[in-house]
């Protein structure tokens, strides 16, 4: 029996004991159903000793205040019809059955909040506040038990998102809404982190699942033995979700896919004929060899894994959602530059902190053989590319020339704030996005930019200029004190120069000078992270939405498609 079932069964017996009065006269205000006392104040049952209840009340009827149980006035939102005895039809299961009890309470809270949202004035606000108070009490009381129930967070999360998006509710109950956010983050963990072995945690990979609950959590370092969820697609764009080690080989992945297909009653005996292919949004295909491993972290931004036979290899095409474009105002038009820049810095600091110092050495010295140990570094590099394409995507999806100019101005502000935050990774990525050929050719748009921002952007371009071995950048970063987020690709470039420019062994002896130079470069990474990052960011529903947006960019990484959008906006620009 599950812990929640045991707890509710115990609560049922206690409630039954309090409800039926013992002895003549019953209790003052006792229940009027069968089994109540027969004396004054008792119910309509016969007098005498306690009798068992014929029907138990649902948890929602026991916990919800009376005014929360009022039936909604709007059609289509009525609560379930009640049977004789006051219990909703279809919820006649025993309290000890677990699921329907707390599920009924969550459904009624969600239904009530939606109904109260249609009311105007203080009355509607008061009812929503009462609903919030009830949800907080419920989560606080049953927090430990709900962590062990697989479906406990589904309705709670829906109600949580409704509450967090309610600006009027947040203004009056800021502390309660922030406390709700903390409680929901805890409840949605099926097993507490401290009791689950780190090697057995199943983690969503960087872009495989775009879910708000996973993206808001603090990033933790990946290891080759970590298990992840991944989607592997078929030629018809159906997919199977597999659970695999991060360091799994292509052969292991195909084995898991075959097992899933057989379980789904697909034609069996296909294991020998299946191949694994990485398909980019541009349509480029890469056939992965069976001995290759750690393929997940090497995928492009919008690349996906496809399992198919050799006969269907040529017919593989990118997923439709990766090449569809829907121009119009996006989230970037509604957020402040400072908020975006701060959340970029906070997220990139989390990613940078996850990268072990040795990953830089393994990436350069061991190449593909070191992929098993460089997963976090690969993800950080992928993120840098993602931000660059995000800037170009947002600009080119904006159809109005005036709004595009305002967007250029906003991105220049974001770059300036990132530089002020000493987040040179974000700074570089934003500037390179604005320097994308599909964006820089928009002459009419750039002419609308105020002169002040044109001059500022020229300074930024000079700072990112690679001339004289990135002299301008090196001068700036040398004056910064920790914490600093460096432009990581430049660190890898320096390490590559040290590695390929001199031999590790000279006449059978170790080249100590080379190793000292490599160690010195790695020590700079340690210095950049020697102090914690402290950003003053207000916690609010608006900021949580910005945080989710920044961590889940929707980008176009197909340069040909970006050029098509650019020529549609300004066909004659040079």
């Amino acid at each position: 029996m599950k812990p929640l079932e045991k707890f509710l069964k115990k609560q049922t017996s206690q409630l039954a004991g309090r409800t039926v009065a013992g002895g003549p006269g019953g209790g003052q205000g006792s229940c009027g159903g069968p089994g109540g006392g027969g004396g004054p104040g008792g119910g309509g049952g016969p007098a005498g000793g306690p009798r068992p209840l014929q029907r138990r009340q649902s948890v929602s009827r026991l916990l919800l205040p009376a005014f929360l149980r009022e039936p909604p006035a709007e059609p289509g939102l009525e609560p379930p019809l009640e049977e004789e005895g006051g219990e909703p039809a279809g919820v006649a299961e025993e309290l000890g059955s677990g699921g329907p009890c707390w599920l009924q309470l969550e459904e009624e809270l969600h239904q009530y909040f939606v109904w109260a949202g249609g009311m105007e004035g203080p009355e509607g606000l008061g009812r929503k506040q009462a609903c919030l108070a009830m949800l907080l009490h419920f989560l606080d009381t049953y927090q430990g038990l709900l962590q062990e129930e697989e479906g406990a967070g589904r309705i709670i999360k829906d109600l949580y998102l409704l509450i967090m998006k309610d600006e009027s509710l947040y203004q009056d109950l800021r502390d309660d809404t922030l406390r709700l956010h903390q409680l929901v983050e805890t409840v949605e963990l099926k097993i507490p982190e401290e009791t689950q072995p780190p090697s057995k945690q199943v983690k969503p990979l960087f872009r495989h699942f775009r879910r708000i609950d996973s993206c808001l959590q603090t990033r933790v370092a990946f290891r080759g033995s970590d298990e992840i969820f991944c989607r592997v697609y078929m030629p018809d764009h159906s997919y199977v979700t597999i659970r695999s080690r991060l360091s799994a080989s292509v052969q292991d992945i195909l084995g898991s896919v075959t097992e899933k297909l057989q379980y789904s009653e697909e034609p069996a005996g296909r294991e020998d004929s299946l191949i694994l292919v990485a398909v980019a949004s541009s349509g480029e295909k890469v056939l992965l060899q069976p001995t290759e491993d750690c393929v997940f972290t090497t995928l492009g931004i919008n690349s996906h894994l496809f399992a198919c036979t050799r006969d269907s290899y040529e017919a593989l095409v990118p997923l439709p959602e990766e090449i569809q474009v829907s121009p119009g105002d996006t989230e970037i038009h509604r957020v402040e530059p400072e908020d975006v820049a701060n959340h970029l810095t906070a997220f990139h600091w989390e990613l940078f902190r996850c990268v072990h110092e040795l990953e830089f050495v393994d990436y350069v010295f061991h190449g593909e053989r070191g992929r098993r140990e460089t997963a976090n570094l690969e993800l950080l590099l992928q993120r840098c590319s993602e931000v660059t394409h995000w800037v170009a995507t947002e600009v080119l999806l904006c159809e109005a020339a005036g709004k595009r100019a305002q967007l250029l101005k906003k991105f220049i502000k974001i770059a300036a704030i990132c530089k002020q935050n000493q987040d040179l990774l974000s700074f570089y990525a934003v500037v390179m996005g604005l320097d994308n050929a599909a964006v820089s050719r928009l002459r009419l748009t750039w002419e609308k930019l105020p002169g002040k921002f044109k001059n500022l952007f020229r300074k930024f371009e000079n700072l990112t200029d690679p001339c004289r071995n990135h002299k301008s950048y090196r001068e700036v970063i040398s004056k910064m004190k920790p914490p600093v987020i460096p432009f990581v690709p430049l660190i890898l470039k320096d390490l590559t120069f040290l590695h390929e420019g001199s031999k590790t062994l000279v006449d059978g002896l170790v080249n100590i000078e080379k190793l000292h130079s490599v160690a010195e470069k790695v020590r700079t990474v340690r210095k950049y992270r020697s102090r914690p990052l402290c950003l003053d960011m207000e916690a609010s529903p608006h900021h949580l939405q910005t945080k989710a947006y920044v961590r889940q960019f929707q980008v176009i990484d197909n340069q040909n498609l970006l050029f098509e959008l650019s020529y549609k906006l300004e066909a004659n620009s040079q």
Side-chain angles (χ1 to χ4, degrees):
M1 184 179 292
K2 295 182 179 180
L4 184 58
E5 296 174 5
K6 294 179 182 179
F7 176 80
L8 292 175
K9 205 159 192 176
K10 180 180 178 181
Q11 294 295 313
T12 305
S13 61
Q14 293 177 355
L15 288 168
R18 290 199 298 266
T19 306
V20 292
Q28 180 67 26
S30 58
C31 185
R51 296 175 56 188
L53 290 173
Q54 294 181 355
R55 181 180 293 277
R56 297 172 180 173
Q57 301 181 45
S58 69
V59 169
S60 61
R61 299 296 173 185
L62 295 169
L63 294 181
L64 279 175
F67 70 90
L68 279 179
R69 297 198 298 265
E70 295 176 9
E74 297 183 16
L77 292 178
E78 287 84 358
L81 296 175
E82 294 189 359
E83 294 181 349
E84 185 178 351
E87 180 153 8
V91 193
E93 291 87 351
E94 294 290 305
L95 264 177
S97 64
C101 303
W102 53 261
L103 187 61
Q104 176 73 5
L105 172 60
E106 294 173 12
E107 288 176 345
E108 289 195 17
L109 282 173
H110 185 276
Q111 185 182 57
Y112 188 86
F113 190 87
V114 173
W115 169 62
M119 303 178 64
E120 298 180 356
E123 183 180 2
L125 180 61
R127 291 178 182 274
K128 287 191 287 187
Q129 291 175 346
C131 188
L132 172 59
M134 188 65 217
L135 181 60
L136 284 172
H137 176 70
F138 179 75
L139 292 177
D140 223 3
T141 304
Y142 301 108
Q143 177 177 343
L145 298 173
L146 292 176
Q147 286 177 341
E148 301 182 16
E149 295 291 332
E150 294 184 5
R154 180 178 59 85
I155 300 177
I156 289 179
K157 186 171 69 176
D158 291 341
L159 178 57
Y160 155 74
L161 292 176
L162 283 176
I163 292 175
M164 297 303 282
K165 290 178 181 179
D166 195 318
E167 297 288 346
S168 61
L169 193 62
Y170 174 75
Q171 292 173 2
D172 291 346
L173 293 174
R174 172 178 174 178
D175 293 339
D176 286 346
T177 51
L178 295 181
R179 181 163 161 258
L180 173 64
H181 171 65
Q182 296 173 349
L183 283 173
V184 168
E185 277 194 336
T186 305
V187 168
E188 286 185 344
L189 297 175
K190 181 183 174 184
I191 302 177
E193 288 186 356
E194 59 271 13
T195 62
Q196 188 178 12
S199 60
K200 296 300 181 183
Q201 292 181 2
V202 180
K203 305 175 182 180
L205 197 52
F206 200 62
R207 292 182 59 82
H208 283 287
F209 292 131
R210 299 186 175 105
R211 291 170 42 199
I212 189 169
D213 56 337
S214 63
C215 77
L216 289 177
Q217 296 175 2
T218 302
R219 297 293 299 189
V220 293
F222 281 101
R223 294 182 297 179
S225 58
D226 284 339
E227 292 183 328
I228 62 168
F229 286 123
C230 180
R231 291 176 179 177
V232 180
Y233 292 84
M234 303 295 119
D236 61 355
H237 292 171
S238 61
Y239 64 85
V240 293
T241 302
I242 63 171
R243 176 173 175 163
S244 172
R245 287 178 294 105
L246 185 62
S247 59
S249 67
V250 171
Q251 189 173 0
D252 294 336
I253 296 171
L254 288 176
S256 299
V257 171
T258 303
E259 183 180 350
K260 282 273 188 176
L261 292 176
Q262 291 176 347
Y263 180 78
S264 303
E265 298 183 356
E266 293 285 339
R270 298 168 54 186
E271 182 171 3
D272 294 337
S273 60
L274 281 181
I275 57 175
L276 195 65
V277 183
V279 180
S281 60
S282 61
E284 180 183 356
K285 298 185 284 286
V286 177
L287 176 61
L288 303 174
Q289 300 303 316
T291 56
E292 291 186 50
D293 56 7
C294 295
V295 298
F296 298 113
T297 56
T298 60
L299 292 174
I301 299 173
N302 288 329
S303 297
H304 295 88
L305 294 178
F306 280 75
C308 65
T309 60
R310 293 188 180 274
D311 295 339
S312 57
Y313 172 79
E314 296 296 334
L316 293 178
V317 294
L319 296 181
E321 63 265 24
E322 302 298 352
I323 59 176
Q324 287 180 351
V325 178
S326 53
D329 286 355
T330 57
E331 185 69 21
I332 187 62
H333 295 273
R334 295 184 284 271
V335 295
E336 294 297 325
E338 185 176 357
D339 294 339
V340 176
N342 287 339
H343 282 294
L344 278 173
T345 300
F347 186 40
H348 294 167
W349 177 254
E350 291 178 15
L351 296 175
F352 183 48
R353 290 281 297 173
C354 289
V355 181
H356 194 279
E357 297 165 4
L358 292 180
E359 290 191 43
F360 292 92
V361 179
D362 288 331
Y363 186 91
V364 173
F365 280 64
H366 300 149
E368 292 187 359
R369 293 184 292 110
R371 281 181 180 175
R372 186 183 299 267
E373 309 298 335
T374 61
N376 301 288
L377 181 55
E378 297 268 10
L379 293 177
L380 182 58
L381 295 174
Q382 184 186 111
R383 172 63 177 184
C384 182
S385 177
E386 183 182 50
V387 174
T388 299
H389 285 98
W390 161 68
V391 174
T393 300
E394 294 288 6
V395 173
L396 295 173
L397 289 182
C398 185
E399 295 181 325
K403 284 188 175 181
R404 278 201 307 278
Q406 290 297 318
L407 206 51
L408 292 178
K409 181 179 175 181
K410 178 173 287 189
F411 279 123
I412 293 173
K413 285 183 178 179
I414 291 173
I417 299 171
C418 287
K419 180 175 177 289
Q420 182 179 344
N421 289 341
Q422 301 191 146
D423 177 11
L424 297 181
L425 182 72
S426 302
F427 169 78
Y428 250 87
V430 173
V431 173
M432 288 191 298
L434 293 175
D435 268 334
N436 187 299
V439 176
S440 60
R441 66 170 295 278
L442 299 175
R443 178 176 54 82
L444 299 179
T445 303
W446 284 95
E447 286 178 354
K448 294 179 179 293
L449 197 65
K452 173 184 175 181
F453 287 90
K454 288 181 182 178
N455 295 332
L456 184 59
F457 184 65
R458 288 194 195 99
K459 293 180 180 179
F460 291 166
E461 286 182 309
N462 292 333
L463 181 55
T464 58
D465 190 348
C467 291
R468 301 175 65 183
N469 195 19
H470 298 268
K471 182 175 182 294
S472 300
Y473 166 82
R474 296 182 191 278
E475 288 178 351
V476 170
I477 198 171
S478 64
K479 299 176 183 178
M480 292 182 173
K481 296 181 180 180
V484 178
I485 306 177
F487 183 53
V488 173
L490 189 55
I491 296 178
L492 297 175
K493 176 187 174 182
D494 292 342
L495 286 173
T496 302
F497 176 79
L498 289 172
H499 177 50
E500 297 182 354
S502 56
K503 297 181 180 179
T504 305
L505 295 175
V506 179
D507 297 331
L509 301 176
V510 176
N511 187 348
I512 298 296
E513 185 177 353
K514 172 184 176 178
L515 298 185
H516 272 306
S517 299
V518 171
E520 183 63 29
K521 181 57 64 176
V522 173
R523 272 194 289 269
T524 61
V525 176
R526 184 182 304 174
K527 183 187 74 171
Y528 294 147
R529 303 188 295 200
S530 60
R531 292 183 181 178
L533 177 70
C534 298
L535 290 176
D536 185 16
M537 291 192 295
E538 178 187 1
S540 68
H542 172 70
H543 282 265
L544 291 175
Q545 293 171 14
T546 304
K547 180 179 180 180
Y549 166 70
V550 166
R551 295 178 177 226
Q552 290 182 311
F553 288 143
Q554 305 291 324
V555 305
I556 300 173
D557 64 341
N558 184 349
Q559 190 64 30
N560 293 330
L561 184 54
L562 292 176
F563 268 116
E564 288 180 15
L565 293 172
S566 180
Y567 278 102
K568 286 181 181 178
L569 296 175
E570 296 184 20
N572 299 322
S573 295
Q574 295 181 354

